[in-house]
Amino acid sequence: MTSRRRTLVYAAIVAAQVGALAYAARWAEDRAALGHTDSLGWRPFPWPFPPEPWPAGRAWTGDDHDVYVQLKPNLCADCQTEILTDEAVDRAVDIQRLDPRFEPVGPGSRIRITDLFGRARTYCHKRRNGSLRYAEGVAFTYKCDLIVAIVDGNVSDPQKRKAGRDFLESNTPQVWLLKQLEGR
């Protein structure tokens, strides 16, 4: 092999290594910006929904669920009332952002997440392979702000639904939510 060819091979190897290191550094920077995986194995991922009038929310995955939490500031019509009806949950959560085929399964129920009361409703749609996909929409108010969450997973199973709700009450989303509410 000539020295010129050898130099080109070495240069290509060095360029590939520099590119791989740059990619790894960028990936690590993105992961650090999202936050760490919590002790229960929930890890954040980028907010998947298009821009809206409200700030982007936060998304986590773990335990066979994806959980999306969003603060919608100053959205309550009456700051003293809670989310009382299923129609209010449907409007607030906007489950069609996740998949336009979702339809309510039945009536919702009152829910308590930490010290806030709201309403939850289960939604379902049939996939192309015939299996059913379930998600739960949760909406509650804090002062004049609306907080919405979507728990996407097999929430028809009570244990899976409980795992999603337990995550909503855990430190990971609560710390993020408190930072969003600071100064409000």
Side-chain angles (χ1 to χ4, degrees):
M1 186 182 308
T2 65
S3 64
R4 181 176 178 167
R5 187 171 181 179
R6 189 175 312 145
T7 303
L8 288 175
V9 169
Y10 289 149
I13 291 170
V14 168
Q17 289 174 337
V18 168
L21 286 172
Y23 176 79
R26 178 66 184 177
W27 180 82
E29 185 178 306
D30 290 346
R31 292 294 308 154
L34 285 173
H36 67 284
T37 299
D38 72 3
S39 62
L40 300 174
W42 291 87
R43 68 178 195 285
F45 65 94
W47 186 248
F49 303 115
E52 301 176 290
W54 307 285
R58 196 64 183 251
W60 292 272
T61 189
D63 193 36
D64 299 328
H65 291 82
D66 291 336
V67 175
Y68 310 92
V69 179
Q70 186 176 27
L71 173 68
K72 296 182 177 181
N74 302 317
L75 197 60
C76 296
D78 180 356
C79 298
Q80 303 306 314
T81 62
E82 301 165 3
I83 301 292
L84 299 174
T85 65
D86 290 336
E87 292 75 22
V89 174
D90 294 343
R91 282 190 308 274
V93 172
D94 193 19
I95 194 89
Q96 282 73 26
R97 291 184 304 167
L98 190 59
D99 192 318
R101 298 173 292 176
F102 272 113
E103 294 294 330
V105 171
S109 61
R110 190 164 185 208
I111 187 173
R112 180 179 179 178
I113 302 291
T114 63
D115 59 345
L116 301 175
F117 289 93
R119 194 156 182 87
R121 191 167 193 191
T122 302
Y123 301 86
C124 176
H125 78 77
K126 194 172 197 175
R127 293 177 159 177
R128 289 190 178 118
N129 66 4
S131 67
L132 297 177
R133 179 176 174 202
Y134 291 90
E136 182 176 51
V138 179
F140 46 97
T141 58
Y142 176 75
K143 296 184 180 177
C144 285
D145 298 326
L146 182 64
I147 301 164
V148 296
I150 298 173
V151 179
D152 184 25
N154 186 12
V155 296
S156 64
D157 177 357
Q159 290 179 337
K160 300 267 186 184
R161 180 180 301 135
K162 183 176 178 348
R165 288 181 180 181
D166 287 348
F167 174 70
L168 287 174
E169 292 195 46
S170 73
N171 269 354
T172 303
Q174 292 300 316
V175 167
W176 176 82
L177 195 54
L178 288 174
K179 285 181 183 177
Q180 302 305 304
L181 291 169
E182 276 181 4
R184 295 198 56 73

